[in-house]
Amino acid sequence: IADVIATATNTCEPLFSGDWPKPGCHINGVGSYTPLMKEIDDVLVSRCEVLVDTKEALDVGDLSTLRNDDGTTKQNFIGLIGDALTSTVEFGKHRNNNIDCTFFKSVGTAIQDVVTAQFVYDRATKEGIGTTIDM
């Protein structure tokens, strides 16, 4: 029933059946980060256009079925989020009878952490909240 599903767990078992999300649903998966962790099942991954934050995300359990035997990626792998942001690839434009959802998988990168920390710091400074600690 949901239009957007966000998962942020460290489970090794999928959280729900891949048949449950309705067509048009978008999934953000940010919890799993190892080959054994798997929040999203293979059925749902096969239904989705998949975008990742880094190529290393292709090695997590959620996306274990996204690679072919020869190491290439399946057709529903669209690319990196940076490529989508610069319009090098199109995300959300390839839906058909088999591909009816979108999935963004993030395993996190240091630059995301730095940018987020800077945003929080700037906002706290602007709002006059927080405590300065001498180090």
Side-chain angles (χ1 to χ4, degrees), residues 50 52 54-60 63-64 66-67 73 77 107:
V50 180
V52 298
T54 67
K55 289 188 179 184
E56 289 75 18
L58 292 170
D59 297 327
V60 299
L63 303 182
S64 61
L66 205 55
R67 289 191 192 268
T73 54
F77 174 67
V107 294

